């Protein structure tokens, strides 16, 4: 399967086109919704890729490389060797390191991505400060995080999250790091009532979803996304595409996650 990933060239990742090869994660409604939403928002703010450099902080197995490549040459960093081994098999440029001390020079990157990263780190402000340091003047950072502390669930526990954010909290952290927020919005707005209700109902249950995770499964290199039945997955993917289209133009007032794009 990795041969298909390696064979995919940057030329096939022109703006406005879906990658020629999709990973398993791309077919999951949550991942697809996040990807479609943040790319649609980035496309309206970032110039066409022309020799630019992109850093994926907390890249894991490189699940976003084939999407971020539309903005330039992508390299990544993660603190876990398991997913990095997969990323290298896929032919990606990655290295092991920590987000609080990025092993790059000042102003090296045109776009820095920290996608569902800062909620894992005790010193989230230090991570964003490091993102600002390695971002060139005028460059961009894109950040995604889980939203709203009252939505805390088993998923946060198994992913070793430290916190969830409000929009105001994320804006404050970006500004403190030296970024100028351009777009900060909630997402997963349309599924929010269903998701919130499910989280609250599960709090009264002693049985949590059984998801593979590196801490409990030697074969797992990342935490498994909770599966959805095929029909439901298709419906939720369609709902997510509708929301992604709207997010190109307007912010959502509430949701289970946040997407922020800021400029240095």
């Amino acid at each position: 399967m990795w041969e298909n990933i390696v064979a995919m060239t940057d030329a096939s990742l022109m703006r406005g086109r879906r990658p020629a090869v999709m990973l398993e994660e791309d077919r999951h409604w949550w991942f697809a919704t996040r990807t479609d939403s943040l790319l649609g928002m980035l496309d309206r703010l970032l110039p066409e890729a022309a020799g630019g450099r992109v850093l994926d902080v907390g890249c894991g197995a490189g699940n976003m490389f084939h999407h971020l490549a539309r903005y330039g040459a992508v390299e990544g960093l993660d603190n876990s060797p398991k997913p990095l081994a997969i990323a290298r098999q896929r032919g990606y440029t990655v290295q092991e390191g920590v987000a609080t001390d990025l092993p790059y020079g000042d102003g090296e990157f045109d776009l820095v991505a920290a996608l569902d990263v800062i909620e894992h780190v005790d010193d989230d402000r230090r991570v964003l400060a490091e993102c600002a340091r390695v971002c060139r003047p005028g460059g961009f950072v894109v950040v995604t995080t889980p939203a709203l502390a009252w939505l805390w669930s088993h998923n946060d526990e198994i992913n070793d999250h430290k916190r969830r954010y409000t929009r105001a909290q994320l804006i404050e952290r970006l500004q403190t790091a030296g970024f100028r927020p351009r777009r900060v919005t909630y997402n997963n707005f349309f599924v929010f009532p269903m998701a919130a209700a499910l989280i609250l109902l599960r709090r009264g249950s002693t049985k949590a979803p059984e998801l593979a995770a590196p801490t409990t499964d030697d074969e797992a290199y990342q935490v498994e996304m909770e599966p959805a039945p095929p029909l439901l997955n298709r419906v939720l993917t369609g709902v997510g595409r509708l929301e992604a289209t709207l997010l190109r133009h307007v912010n959502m007032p509430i949701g289970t996650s946040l997407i922020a794009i800021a400029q240095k």
Side-chain angles (χ1 to χ4, degrees):
M1 63 182 290
W2 310 129
E3 290 81 357
N4 291 332
I5 304 292
V6 175
M8 185 170 52
T9 64
D10 287 349
S12 71
L13 296 169
M14 296 297 289
R15 186 178 301 253
R17 291 179 56 186
R18 290 187 177 274
V21 175
M22 294 180 69
L23 302 179
E24 182 179 353
E25 288 81 5
D26 291 319
R27 296 179 173 86
H28 188 282
W29 72 268
W30 181 89
F31 193 90
T33 296
R34 188 191 72 164
T35 300
D36 288 345
S37 297
L38 70 88
L39 294 182
M41 292 166 60
L42 281 169
D43 282 352
R44 293 179 63 84
L45 292 172
L46 268 66
E48 296 284 343
R53 295 182 66 194
V54 179
L55 176 63
D56 188 357
V57 178
C59 65
N63 295 339
M64 284 296 295
F65 270 48
H66 58 306
H67 297 293
L68 294 173
R70 67 207 284 167
Y71 307 112
V74 186
E75 51 193 285
L77 173 136
D78 201 277
N79 67 350
S80 177
K82 265 190 178 181
L84 288 177
I86 302 298
R88 293 188 180 103
Q89 289 180 42
R90 292 172 172 174
Y92 296 150
T93 301
V94 296
Q95 64 175 299
E96 189 171 346
V98 294
T100 51
D101 188 16
L102 296 175
Y104 306 99
D106 296 353
E108 286 195 30
F109 296 95
D110 301 278
L111 172 65
V112 180
L115 306 178
D116 290 278
V117 169
I118 64 172
E119 67 272 14
H120 294 270
V121 184
D122 288 324
D123 193 352
D124 56 346
R125 296 178 186 276
R126 176 66 180 173
V127 174
L128 291 174
E130 278 290 277
C131 290
R133 181 183 65 79
V134 302
C135 184
R136 68 164 177 81
F140 289 84
V141 65
V142 56
V143 177
T144 60
T145 71
L148 305 174
W150 63 269
L151 290 178
W152 190 269
S153 70
H154 173 70
N155 186 66
D156 295 289
E157 299 287 348
I158 197 172
N159 278 280
D160 195 26
H161 290 170
K162 310 300 182 186
R163 67 194 72 81
R164 300 176 71 97
Y165 296 82
T166 65
R167 181 175 182 271
Q169 288 170 335
L170 187 53
I171 288 174
E172 183 273 328
R173 281 164 170 77
L174 287 166
Q175 290 174 330
T176 300
F179 288 108
R180 177 169 62 95
R182 299 289 301 273
R183 289 286 307 277
V184 183
T185 178
Y186 290 98
N187 73 306
N188 291 324
F189 167 72
F190 290 119
V191 302
F192 177 79
M194 178 181 69
L198 182 60
I199 289 170
L200 295 176
L201 283 171
R202 282 179 172 174
R203 285 183 184 165
S205 172
T206 57
K207 183 175 176 56
E210 296 182 3
L211 303 175
T215 54
T216 58
D217 185 341
D218 290 340
E219 299 298 320
Y221 62 87
Q222 62 189 12
V223 176
E224 178 187 10
M225 288 184 288
E226 186 169 350
L231 179 58
L232 178 60
N233 190 69
R234 287 196 294 272
V235 170
L236 293 177
T237 299
V239 170
R241 286 176 181 162
L242 171 62
E243 181 170 312
T245 299
L246 294 174
L247 280 172
R248 291 176 64 88
H249 308 284
V250 297
N251 289 344
M252 296 294 129
I254 199 168
T256 63
S257 304
L258 282 156
I259 300 174
I261 302 173
Q263 192 169 16
K264 183 176 175 181

